Every structure is written in C-alpha cells, then in structure tokens.
Amino acid sequence: MLVFIWLTVSLSTNKGALGWGEQYCQHLGYCVNFENITAEAGLCAVIPCSFTSRFEPKYIIWYKCEYHKEICRVSDTVFNSNKRSSNVQSGFKGRVSLLEPDVTQKNCSIIINDLRVSDSGYYQLRVEGEGEKDKFTFTVAKLLLSVTDLNQKAELKIPPLTDGQQVTLTCTAPGFCSGSPPKFTWMWRRKAENSSHIPGNITASTTENLTAVAQSHSSTLTFKPSVENHNTDITCKVSFIGGKTTEETATLNVNFNPVNHCDSAYGALPWVVAGVSLGVNVLCMIQILVLWNSRRKIKPAEVDPTYVSLQKLDTSPEYDVIVQRR
C-alpha cells in the first residue's frame, strides 16, 4: 500500500538555492531543485535534479502524467531505482537511469536515452526510505520535458586530399548519449548523378566513453582519392533508433599530383616539367595539361596560356628530339 504525505506548499521559489535551476519547497524541509529541459528526438535528455528530505532516501521514482494531476499514479512510473519494482512503463524500460547511483547523496538527476517526441510531458519526483512513513511525493511542481524533432547535424572532418594518397575521413554523430549506437552510412555523388556507396574501408560505429553516462559515436572512411573524385559530394548519414536521421555533406577538393599520375601510368622518364621531376613522355605531358586545365573554370572567351618548360636530363639519342619543326 502506498502512503503519501500531504503537506502545505510554500509559495516561494528560489533561483539556484541548491546550485542551479529553480528550487520548490514544501514544509518540513522537503525541497526539490530542477529546471525544464528541451531536447531532440533520437538523442538524450539529461535532467539535473536534487532534493532535501527529513529521512535518508533509499529509492528514487519518477512519474510522467498530466499537469493537472496533483499526484501521478503507480501506472505512470517511468523510472524506479528499486530493481524489484515491475511498475515501469514498457516504453521507458532500459532508457532511463540515474546519474548518481548512490541515492543517499540526494541527487535525483536522470538521463533519458533514445528520446521520442512522445516523451514530452510533465515529470514528477518521489523518494522513499526504509520506514513505512518515509515516503514523499513532490507535488509542489512538475518538471517539463519538451522533445523536438532532430535538428543537429553530424560532424564531418575531411583532411587535405591529394591524388593517390590514402586518407581517412571521420563522421561524428550529434549528442553524447549512452543509449543505442546510431547507424552510419557513407555515400558520394558526382555532379548531376544519384548517390551511391563510396568504395573504401568503412568502420562500424566506434564508441568512446566520455563519462559513465556520456559517449561519443563516430565512423571513419579510409580510401585513396583520385582526380576523378575532385568536386564530388560526400555524405555521412546517421540513423538513430525510432527512424530519426541526420546527415552532413561536403564537397571533396582533391589536390592534383602529376608525379603520382604519370609515375603510375607510364613509369619514370627523365624530364622536368614545370620545374618538377616527372616520369613523363609526350602522351603523359598532354594528359597532365588536359587534367590541369579541366580543373580551372575558364570562360569561353578567356585566353588560357599554359607554359611548360622542358629540361633535357638524358643525352641519349632516343631523347634528342621531342618536336621537330619544319
């Protein structure tokens, strides 16, 4: 049988009396300190809370019910630190936990993971001790949790890209929640093309424990860019439980490396083009110029003079003449 203590409510509230937020007091030394919270679906909500009581608490209970109800019902339970209790609503099981497991510290802060828009509403605190009369529900105020749609974006980190040099891209999910790890999807799209999966070594979701209840989730993509990847879009999509998704897109800027291009295609030949030692024959040189000019945005009527200086390093007869003028 549940026993509730009915007390007269003090009309005064103090800002930050227990360190932050609003303090709501009832007579006989029962006060609760919290503030309303706004969070986004798919992420988590950390609800800071502390209280004072005239008995040593053993269990902390949170309810969710309509604002007009003075006392929520047992069926409204969303969290109970008493592991033997089976009254927690099925939709909240496993999603709510205390930030401070030691209830005697009178810290009633909780974290709600895998947020849903339906989690929005009013929450009420109750504490229980060892004795039959050591039970108290804070009817003086309810905490309001507002859950909005997911607006935060993933964070995409792209280091400098050079043709032919392996690189690793990192995508970090928004939020620092300890709930269900999100799913990462990497896609790329050339201009005027549909998205497709990008070739490369993609890691599964990596989790970094920041605190006992806070984690960072990320994924990496390792691949070797080429000049063909220049000016293409790459997207990292993050999917959370409940169907909530967010993504971030960036345009790749691949630095052209003619040394890598011609060495891999034609082997090393002894010529210096534009002051850089290249393995190049005439065909390779022409291809370099085409690729180089294709990266430059030149208007139709604009003159684009390109100068290439050639220095002969080998005196063997087969390299005596590059172009013979008549």
Side-chain angles (χ1 to χ4, degrees):
M1 183 178 80
L2 293 176
V3 178
F4 296 97
I5 301 176
W6 296 84
L7 297 173
T8 304
V9 176
S10 171
L11 297 179
S12 63
T13 63
N14 298 316
K15 184 72 172 180
L18 296 181
W20 44 261
E22 294 285 348
Q23 184 185 56
Y24 304 90
C25 291
Q26 297 175 218
H27 288 309
L28 302 179
Y30 291 89
C31 295
V32 62
N33 211 76
F34 56 64
E35 59 186 9
N36 296 333
I37 298 295
T38 299
E40 297 183 12
L43 304 183
C44 59
V46 175
I47 300 176
C49 172
S50 58
F51 66 94
T52 60
S53 63
R54 300 186 65 180
F55 60 85
E56 184 173 283
K58 187 176 182 180
Y59 302 113
I60 288 179
I61 304 168
W62 279 95
Y63 304 109
K64 178 178 179 290
C65 67
E66 291 80 7
Y67 179 78
H68 66 270
K69 285 187 178 180
E70 185 173 20
I71 297 180
C72 299
R73 301 175 181 176
V74 175
S75 58
D76 297 322
T77 304
V78 298
F79 174 78
N80 192 332
S81 62
N82 185 354
K83 303 301 181 182
R84 295 174 296 178
S85 175
S86 59
N87 297 318
V88 177
Q89 297 181 43
S90 59
F92 283 91
K93 285 184 178 180
R95 294 200 295 127
V96 188
S97 58
L98 285 174
L99 296 185
E100 172 54 68
D102 185 1
V103 178
T104 62
Q105 298 298 315
K106 297 184 178 181
N107 185 340
C108 44
S109 303
I110 57 174
I111 180 171
I112 305 177
N113 283 304
D114 303 332
L115 281 177
R116 310 164 184 173
V117 174
S118 60
D119 293 337
S120 298
Y122 292 93
Y123 291 74
Q124 187 175 62
L125 174 67
R126 175 178 171 82
V127 294
E128 296 182 353
E130 287 284 1
E132 182 64 27
K133 295 183 179 180
D134 294 339
K135 305 175 189 294
F136 187 81
T137 300
F138 290 89
T139 62
V140 61
K142 291 187 179 73
L143 177 144
L144 174 61
L145 171 63
S146 301
V147 181
T148 63
D149 286 334
L150 180 61
N151 293 314
Q152 295 186 51
K153 300 293 185 181
E155 181 183 4
L156 188 56
K157 292 184 178 180
I158 302 178
L161 306 178
T162 301
D163 174 33
Q165 295 183 6
Q166 183 170 284
V167 70
T168 297
L169 282 57
T170 303
C171 179
T172 303
F176 299 96
C177 303
S178 56
S180 303
K183 176 184 177 183
F184 292 86
T185 304
W186 291 86
M187 297 174 292
W188 71 346
R189 179 175 60 84
R190 293 186 178 91
K191 299 302 181 183
E193 291 184 4
N194 295 325
S195 297
S196 61
H197 290 282
I198 190 169
N201 182 20
I202 301 175
T203 67
S205 175
T206 301
T207 299
E208 178 184 0
N209 293 320
L210 305 177
T211 67
V213 295
Q215 298 175 334
S216 175
H217 303 283
S218 61
S219 175
T220 60
L221 168 64
T222 301
F223 76 115
K224 187 176 292 185
S226 69
V227 290
E228 294 180 355
N229 302 135
H230 179 70
N231 206 31
T232 61
D233 291 336
I234 187 166
T235 298
C236 173
K237 181 179 179 181
V238 184
S239 303
F240 295 92
I241 192 170
K244 297 297 179 179
T245 63
T246 184
E247 62 185 42
E248 183 65 13
T249 299
T251 300
L252 299 182
N253 181 23
V254 182
N255 296 314
F256 176 55
N257 189 338
V259 175
N260 290 342
H261 178 76
C262 288
D263 280 352
S264 62
Y266 301 104
L269 291 176
W271 292 100
V272 173
V273 177
V276 180
S277 179
L278 302 177
V280 61
N281 56 21
V282 175
L283 179 60
C284 180
M285 182 182 69
I286 295 174
Q287 191 169 1
I288 290 174
L289 296 177
V290 171
L291 288 171
W292 183 267
N293 287 325
S294 67
R295 292 171 52 89
R296 303 180 58 181
K297 297 179 179 179
I298 304 169
K299 298 178 181 179
E302 188 177 359
V303 177
D304 179 37
T306 301
Y307 300 93
V308 178
S309 62
L310 302 177
Q311 179 183 350
K312 185 178 177 184
L313 298 182
D314 194 319
T315 58
S316 58
E318 58 180 310
Y319 298 114
D320 277 349
V321 178
I322 297 178
V323 178
Q324 181 176 1
R325 298 182 180 275
R326 295 183 178 180

mmCIF file of all heavy atoms in Angstrom, residues 282-318:
data_model
loop_
_atom_site.group_PDB
_atom_site.id
_atom_site.type_symbol
_atom_site.label_atom_id
_atom_site.label_comp_id
_atom_site.label_asym_id
_atom_site.label_seq_id
_atom_site.Cartn_x
_atom_site.Cartn_y
_atom_site.Cartn_z
ATOM 1 N N VAL A 282 55.571 12.235 -74.006
ATOM 2 C CA VAL A 282 54.739 13.288 -74.589
ATOM 3 C C VAL A 282 53.268 13.056 -74.303
ATOM 4 O O VAL A 282 52.510 13.970 -73.990
ATOM 5 C CB VAL A 282 54.995 13.384 -76.107
ATOM 6 C CG1 VAL A 282 54.041 14.382 -76.751
ATOM 7 C CG2 VAL A 282 56.442 13.777 -76.365
ATOM 8 N N LEU A 283 52.813 11.791 -74.389
ATOM 9 C CA LEU A 283 51.412 11.475 -74.142
ATOM 10 C C LEU A 283 51.023 11.823 -72.720
ATOM 11 O O LEU A 283 49.962 12.397 -72.472
ATOM 12 C CB LEU A 283 51.154 9.993 -74.413
ATOM 13 C CG LEU A 283 49.717 9.505 -74.169
ATOM 14 C CD1 LEU A 283 48.748 10.278 -75.073
ATOM 15 C CD2 LEU A 283 49.606 8.016 -74.428
ATOM 16 N N CYS A 284 51.883 11.505 -71.779
ATOM 17 C CA CYS A 284 51.591 11.820 -70.379
ATOM 18 C C CYS A 284 51.538 13.325 -70.165
ATOM 19 O O CYS A 284 50.694 13.832 -69.436
ATOM 20 C CB CYS A 284 52.640 11.197 -69.476
ATOM 21 S SG CYS A 284 52.366 11.522 -67.723
ATOM 22 N N MET A 285 52.466 14.060 -70.798
ATOM 23 C CA MET A 285 52.503 15.503 -70.652
ATOM 24 C C MET A 285 51.195 16.124 -71.129
ATOM 25 O O MET A 285 50.630 17.009 -70.488
ATOM 26 C CB MET A 285 53.675 16.084 -71.428
ATOM 27 C CG MET A 285 53.812 17.600 -71.289
ATOM 28 S SD MET A 285 55.191 18.231 -72.265
ATOM 29 C CE MET A 285 54.534 17.969 -73.916
ATOM 30 N N ILE A 286 50.713 15.652 -72.272
ATOM 31 C CA ILE A 286 49.451 16.173 -72.804
ATOM 32 C C ILE A 286 48.305 15.882 -71.843
ATOM 33 O O ILE A 286 47.435 16.720 -71.598
ATOM 34 C CB ILE A 286 49.169 15.572 -74.188
ATOM 35 C CG1 ILE A 286 50.235 16.043 -75.186
ATOM 36 C CG2 ILE A 286 47.766 15.947 -74.665
ATOM 37 C CD1 ILE A 286 50.139 15.385 -76.543
ATOM 38 N N GLN A 287 48.307 14.681 -71.271
ATOM 39 C CA GLN A 287 47.239 14.300 -70.350
ATOM 40 C C GLN A 287 47.262 15.175 -69.099
ATOM 41 O O GLN A 287 46.233 15.552 -68.569
ATOM 42 C CB GLN A 287 47.375 12.829 -69.970
ATOM 43 C CG GLN A 287 46.160 12.287 -69.233
ATOM 44 C CD GLN A 287 46.208 10.776 -69.109
ATOM 45 O OE1 GLN A 287 47.148 10.151 -69.547
ATOM 46 N NE2 GLN A 287 45.184 10.224 -68.517
ATOM 47 N N ILE A 288 48.474 15.508 -68.640
ATOM 48 C CA ILE A 288 48.586 16.388 -67.478
ATOM 49 C C ILE A 288 47.961 17.738 -67.769
ATOM 50 O O ILE A 288 47.215 18.300 -66.966
ATOM 51 C CB ILE A 288 50.067 16.567 -67.076
ATOM 52 C CG1 ILE A 288 50.612 15.259 -66.495
ATOM 53 C CG2 ILE A 288 50.230 17.689 -66.051
ATOM 54 C CD1 ILE A 288 52.091 15.298 -66.213
ATOM 55 N N LEU A 289 48.272 18.281 -68.955
ATOM 56 C CA LEU A 289 47.737 19.589 -69.313
ATOM 57 C C LEU A 289 46.221 19.571 -69.397
ATOM 58 O O LEU A 289 45.544 20.499 -68.974
ATOM 59 C CB LEU A 289 48.338 20.045 -70.647
ATOM 60 C CG LEU A 289 49.856 20.272 -70.645
ATOM 61 C CD1 LEU A 289 50.332 20.660 -72.040
ATOM 62 C CD2 LEU A 289 50.233 21.329 -69.633
ATOM 63 N N VAL A 290 45.676 18.485 -69.937
ATOM 64 C CA VAL A 290 44.220 18.365 -70.043
ATOM 65 C C VAL A 290 43.589 18.325 -68.654
ATOM 66 O O VAL A 290 42.607 19.014 -68.366
ATOM 67 C CB VAL A 290 43.837 17.117 -70.857
ATOM 68 C CG1 VAL A 290 42.333 16.889 -70.781
ATOM 69 C CG2 VAL A 290 44.279 17.271 -72.300
ATOM 70 N N LEU A 291 44.163 17.494 -67.776
ATOM 71 C CA LEU A 291 43.629 17.389 -66.421
ATOM 72 C C LEU A 291 43.761 18.701 -65.664
ATOM 73 O O LEU A 291 42.871 19.132 -64.946
ATOM 74 C CB LEU A 291 44.340 16.266 -65.651
ATOM 75 C CG LEU A 291 44.004 14.848 -66.071
ATOM 76 C CD1 LEU A 291 44.940 13.860 -65.383
ATOM 77 C CD2 LEU A 291 42.558 14.517 -65.744
ATOM 78 N N TRP A 292 44.900 19.341 -65.835
ATOM 79 C CA TRP A 292 45.142 20.598 -65.127
ATOM 80 C C TRP A 292 44.149 21.671 -65.561
ATOM 81 O O TRP A 292 43.564 22.376 -64.752
ATOM 82 C CB TRP A 292 46.567 21.047 -65.394
ATOM 83 C CG TRP A 292 46.942 22.302 -64.649
ATOM 84 C CD1 TRP A 292 46.870 23.584 -65.079
ATOM 85 C CD2 TRP A 292 47.438 22.354 -63.303
ATOM 86 N NE1 TRP A 292 47.298 24.438 -64.107
ATOM 87 C CE2 TRP A 292 47.641 23.718 -63.012
ATOM 88 C CE3 TRP A 292 47.736 21.392 -62.344
ATOM 89 C CZ2 TRP A 292 48.134 24.132 -61.777
ATOM 90 C CZ3 TRP A 292 48.220 21.803 -61.119
ATOM 91 C CH2 TRP A 292 48.409 23.157 -60.844
ATOM 92 N N ASN A 293 43.948 21.781 -66.882
ATOM 93 C CA ASN A 293 43.046 22.800 -67.382
ATOM 94 C C ASN A 293 41.590 22.482 -67.064
ATOM 95 O O ASN A 293 40.768 23.375 -66.940
ATOM 96 C CB ASN A 293 43.225 22.977 -68.890
ATOM 97 C CG ASN A 293 44.521 23.690 -69.225
ATOM 98 O OD1 ASN A 293 44.950 24.559 -68.486
ATOM 99 N ND2 ASN A 293 45.143 23.320 -70.345
ATOM 100 N N SER A 294 41.260 21.187 -66.942
ATOM 101 C CA SER A 294 39.874 20.815 -66.633
ATOM 102 C C SER A 294 39.482 21.245 -65.231
ATOM 103 O O SER A 294 38.304 21.377 -64.925
ATOM 104 C CB SER A 294 39.698 19.303 -66.773
ATOM 105 O OG SER A 294 40.432 18.622 -65.774
ATOM 106 N N ARG A 295 40.470 21.454 -64.358
ATOM 107 C CA ARG A 295 40.185 21.888 -63.001
ATOM 108 C C ARG A 295 40.018 23.397 -62.904
ATOM 109 O O ARG A 295 39.636 23.905 -61.869
ATOM 110 C CB ARG A 295 41.305 21.449 -62.054
ATOM 111 C CG ARG A 295 41.389 19.951 -61.837
ATOM 112 C CD ARG A 295 42.635 19.594 -61.089
ATOM 113 N NE ARG A 295 42.773 20.380 -59.862
ATOM 114 C CZ ARG A 295 42.272 20.033 -58.687
ATOM 115 N NH1 ARG A 295 41.580 18.932 -58.570
ATOM 116 N NH2 ARG A 295 42.448 20.790 -57.615
ATOM 117 N N ARG A 296 40.356 24.089 -63.964
ATOM 118 C CA ARG A 296 40.249 25.543 -63.937
ATOM 119 C C ARG A 296 38.980 25.977 -64.635
ATOM 120 O O ARG A 296 38.655 25.517 -65.724
ATOM 121 C CB ARG A 296 41.461 26.178 -64.612
ATOM 122 C CG ARG A 296 42.775 25.758 -63.974
ATOM 123 C CD ARG A 296 43.956 26.403 -64.653
ATOM 124 N NE ARG A 296 43.849 27.857 -64.613
ATOM 125 C CZ ARG A 296 44.754 28.679 -65.169
ATOM 126 N NH1 ARG A 296 45.767 28.182 -65.813
ATOM 127 N NH2 ARG A 296 44.600 29.990 -65.085
ATOM 128 N N LYS A 297 38.242 26.883 -64.012
ATOM 129 C CA LYS A 297 36.998 27.364 -64.594
ATOM 130 C C LYS A 297 37.320 28.532 -65.532
ATOM 131 O O LYS A 297 37.550 29.659 -65.084
ATOM 132 C CB LYS A 297 36.036 27.802 -63.502
ATOM 133 C CG LYS A 297 35.617 26.655 -62.582
ATOM 134 C CD LYS A 297 34.673 27.132 -61.499
ATOM 135 C CE LYS A 297 34.251 25.979 -60.600
ATOM 136 N NZ LYS A 297 33.354 26.416 -59.526
ATOM 137 N N ILE A 298 37.352 28.250 -66.822
ATOM 138 C CA ILE A 298 37.737 29.255 -67.814
ATOM 139 C C ILE A 298 36.522 29.605 -68.655
ATOM 140 O O ILE A 298 35.843 28.725 -69.184
ATOM 141 C CB ILE A 298 38.867 28.728 -68.727
ATOM 142 C CG1 ILE A 298 40.056 28.293 -67.867
ATOM 143 C CG2 ILE A 298 39.259 29.760 -69.756
ATOM 144 C CD1 ILE A 298 41.100 27.534 -68.637
ATOM 145 N N LYS A 299 36.243 30.872 -68.771
ATOM 146 C CA LYS A 299 35.142 31.312 -69.604
ATOM 147 C C LYS A 299 35.491 31.086 -71.070
ATOM 148 O O LYS A 299 36.661 31.129 -71.461
ATOM 149 C CB LYS A 299 34.858 32.785 -69.348
ATOM 150 C CG LYS A 299 34.436 33.057 -67.905
ATOM 151 C CD LYS A 299 34.210 34.540 -67.671
ATOM 152 C CE LYS A 299 33.821 34.795 -66.217
ATOM 153 N NZ LYS A 299 33.611 36.229 -65.948
ATOM 154 N N PRO A 300 34.474 30.858 -71.928
ATOM 155 C CA PRO A 300 34.732 30.549 -73.345
ATOM 156 C C PRO A 300 35.603 31.571 -74.040
ATOM 157 O O PRO A 300 36.440 31.224 -74.875
ATOM 158 C CB PRO A 300 33.325 30.504 -73.950
ATOM 159 C CG PRO A 300 32.449 30.153 -72.798
ATOM 160 C CD PRO A 300 33.066 30.815 -71.599
ATOM 161 N N ALA A 301 35.430 32.842 -73.740
ATOM 162 C CA ALA A 301 36.177 33.891 -74.437
ATOM 163 C C ALA A 301 37.484 34.215 -73.736
ATOM 164 O O ALA A 301 38.192 35.137 -74.136
ATOM 165 C CB ALA A 301 35.308 35.150 -74.534
ATOM 166 N N GLU A 302 37.825 33.496 -72.706
ATOM 167 C CA GLU A 302 39.008 33.803 -71.916
ATOM 168 C C GLU A 302 40.222 33.068 -72.461
ATOM 169 O O GLU A 302 40.156 31.884 -72.781
ATOM 170 C CB GLU A 302 38.768 33.404 -70.457
ATOM 171 C CG GLU A 302 39.869 33.872 -69.521
ATOM 172 C CD GLU A 302 39.533 33.503 -68.080
ATOM 173 O OE1 GLU A 302 38.459 32.921 -67.884
ATOM 174 O OE2 GLU A 302 40.340 33.783 -67.193
ATOM 175 N N VAL A 303 41.323 33.769 -72.587
ATOM 176 C CA VAL A 303 42.565 33.159 -73.060
ATOM 177 C C VAL A 303 43.247 32.476 -71.891
ATOM 178 O O VAL A 303 43.373 33.044 -70.806
ATOM 179 C CB VAL A 303 43.498 34.218 -73.666
ATOM 180 C CG1 VAL A 303 44.826 33.584 -74.090
ATOM 181 C CG2 VAL A 303 42.813 34.897 -74.849
ATOM 182 N N ASP A 304 43.682 31.254 -72.105
ATOM 183 C CA ASP A 304 44.330 30.498 -71.032
ATOM 184 C C ASP A 304 45.698 30.020 -71.497
ATOM 185 O O ASP A 304 45.847 28.885 -71.932
ATOM 186 C CB ASP A 304 43.452 29.311 -70.621
ATOM 187 C CG ASP A 304 44.125 28.502 -69.525
ATOM 188 O OD1 ASP A 304 44.773 29.112 -68.654
ATOM 189 O OD2 ASP A 304 44.023 27.262 -69.584
ATOM 190 N N PRO A 305 46.696 30.862 -71.436
ATOM 191 C CA PRO A 305 48.030 30.423 -71.851
ATOM 192 C C PRO A 305 48.633 29.497 -70.815
ATOM 193 O O PRO A 305 48.609 29.775 -69.616
ATOM 194 C CB PRO A 305 48.821 31.736 -71.943
ATOM 195 C CG PRO A 305 48.133 32.643 -70.969
ATOM 196 C CD PRO A 305 46.671 32.248 -70.990
ATOM 197 N N THR A 306 49.142 28.370 -71.240
ATOM 198 C CA THR A 306 49.797 27.421 -70.348
ATOM 199 C C THR A 306 51.229 27.215 -70.826
ATOM 200 O O THR A 306 51.453 26.901 -71.999
ATOM 201 C CB THR A 306 49.057 26.076 -70.339
ATOM 202 O OG1 THR A 306 47.719 26.285 -69.917
ATOM 203 C CG2 THR A 306 49.738 25.101 -69.378
ATOM 204 N N TYR A 307 52.169 27.423 -69.924
ATOM 205 C CA TYR A 307 53.567 27.328 -70.295
ATOM 206 C C TYR A 307 54.194 26.111 -69.635
ATOM 207 O O TYR A 307 54.026 25.888 -68.442
ATOM 208 C CB TYR A 307 54.318 28.588 -69.866
ATOM 209 C CG TYR A 307 53.785 29.840 -70.504
ATOM 210 C CD1 TYR A 307 52.822 30.606 -69.854
ATOM 211 C CD2 TYR A 307 54.222 30.244 -71.774
ATOM 212 C CE1 TYR A 307 52.320 31.761 -70.440
ATOM 213 C CE2 TYR A 307 53.725 31.397 -72.364
ATOM 214 C CZ TYR A 307 52.769 32.155 -71.699
ATOM 215 O OH TYR A 307 52.267 33.271 -72.275
ATOM 216 N N VAL A 308 54.918 25.341 -70.405
ATOM 217 C CA VAL A 308 55.621 24.175 -69.890
ATOM 218 C C VAL A 308 57.069 24.290 -70.310
ATOM 219 O O VAL A 308 57.366 24.410 -71.502
ATOM 220 C CB VAL A 308 55.011 22.873 -70.431
ATOM 221 C CG1 VAL A 308 55.810 21.682 -69.901
ATOM 222 C CG2 VAL A 308 53.551 22.747 -70.037
ATOM 223 N N SER A 309 57.957 24.268 -69.348
ATOM 224 C CA SER A 309 59.377 24.295 -69.676
ATOM 225 C C SER A 309 59.938 22.894 -69.572
ATOM 226 O O SER A 309 59.652 22.180 -68.627
ATOM 227 C CB SER A 309 60.116 25.237 -68.719
ATOM 228 O OG SER A 309 60.005 24.777 -67.401
ATOM 229 N N LEU A 310 60.722 22.504 -70.560
ATOM 230 C CA LEU A 310 61.308 21.176 -70.600
ATOM 231 C C LEU A 310 62.822 21.285 -70.494
ATOM 232 O O LEU A 310 63.445 22.057 -71.223
ATOM 233 C CB LEU A 310 60.926 20.458 -71.901
ATOM 234 C CG LEU A 310 59.426 20.294 -72.150
ATOM 235 C CD1 LEU A 310 59.215 19.619 -73.513
ATOM 236 C CD2 LEU A 310 58.799 19.481 -71.051
ATOM 237 N N GLN A 311 63.358 20.523 -69.602
ATOM 238 C CA GLN A 311 64.810 20.489 -69.455
ATOM 239 C C GLN A 311 65.299 19.084 -69.708
ATOM 240 O O GLN A 311 64.873 18.140 -69.029
ATOM 241 C CB GLN A 311 65.207 20.948 -68.047
ATOM 242 C CG GLN A 311 66.719 20.897 -67.830
ATOM 243 C CD GLN A 311 67.063 21.293 -66.412
ATOM 244 O OE1 GLN A 311 66.217 21.764 -65.693
ATOM 245 N NE2 GLN A 311 68.325 21.087 -66.037
ATOM 246 N N LYS A 312 66.169 18.934 -70.646
ATOM 247 C CA LYS A 312 66.661 17.626 -71.021
ATOM 248 C C LYS A 312 67.714 17.160 -70.011
ATOM 249 O O LYS A 312 68.696 17.833 -69.761
ATOM 250 C CB LYS A 312 67.274 17.710 -72.429
ATOM 251 C CG LYS A 312 67.730 16.386 -73.007
ATOM 252 C CD LYS A 312 68.255 16.615 -74.405
ATOM 253 C CE LYS A 312 68.790 15.339 -74.995
ATOM 254 N NZ LYS A 312 69.396 15.568 -76.327
ATOM 255 N N LEU A 313 67.454 15.994 -69.393
ATOM 256 C CA LEU A 313 68.368 15.468 -68.395
ATOM 257 C C LEU A 313 69.186 14.305 -68.927
ATOM 258 O O LEU A 313 70.223 13.954 -68.362
ATOM 259 C CB LEU A 313 67.586 15.007 -67.162
ATOM 260 C CG LEU A 313 66.800 16.099 -66.415
ATOM 261 C CD1 LEU A 313 66.142 15.502 -65.207
ATOM 262 C CD2 LEU A 313 67.702 17.251 -66.035
ATOM 263 N N ASP A 314 68.713 13.668 -69.979
ATOM 264 C CA ASP A 314 69.391 12.499 -70.525
ATOM 265 C C ASP A 314 69.857 12.835 -71.932
ATOM 266 O O ASP A 314 69.089 13.341 -72.748
ATOM 267 C CB ASP A 314 68.420 11.310 -70.532
ATOM 268 C CG ASP A 314 69.170 10.002 -70.760
ATOM 269 O OD1 ASP A 314 70.078 9.986 -71.599
ATOM 270 O OD2 ASP A 314 68.807 9.010 -70.084
ATOM 271 N N THR A 315 71.098 12.564 -72.256
ATOM 272 C CA THR A 315 71.641 12.933 -73.574
ATOM 273 C C THR A 315 71.625 11.790 -74.568
ATOM 274 O O THR A 315 72.232 11.861 -75.632
ATOM 275 C CB THR A 315 73.089 13.436 -73.426
ATOM 276 O OG1 THR A 315 73.861 12.394 -72.816
ATOM 277 C CG2 THR A 315 73.141 14.696 -72.569
ATOM 278 N N SER A 316 70.963 10.711 -74.204
ATOM 279 C CA SER A 316 70.914 9.568 -75.099
ATOM 280 C C SER A 316 70.158 9.950 -76.366
ATOM 281 O O SER A 316 69.226 10.750 -76.344
ATOM 282 C CB SER A 316 70.246 8.375 -74.420
ATOM 283 O OG SER A 316 68.957 8.727 -74.004
ATOM 284 N N PRO A 317 70.520 9.390 -77.508
ATOM 285 C CA PRO A 317 69.939 9.801 -78.806
ATOM 286 C C PRO A 317 68.429 9.643 -78.865
ATOM 287 O O PRO A 317 67.762 10.409 -79.550
ATOM 288 C CB PRO A 317 70.642 8.870 -79.807
ATOM 289 C CG PRO A 317 71.913 8.493 -79.128
ATOM 290 C CD PRO A 317 71.595 8.418 -77.670
ATOM 291 N N GLU A 318 67.878 8.652 -78.180
ATOM 292 C CA GLU A 318 66.431 8.430 -78.318
ATOM 293 C C GLU A 318 65.619 9.578 -77.741
ATOM 294 O O GLU A 318 64.420 9.682 -77.971
ATOM 295 C CB GLU A 318 66.034 7.120 -77.621
ATOM 296 C CG GLU A 318 66.391 7.094 -76.149
ATOM 297 C CD GLU A 318 65.999 5.789 -75.494
ATOM 298 O OE1 GLU A 318 64.831 5.393 -75.688
ATOM 299 O OE2 GLU A 318 66.843 5.177 -74.817
#
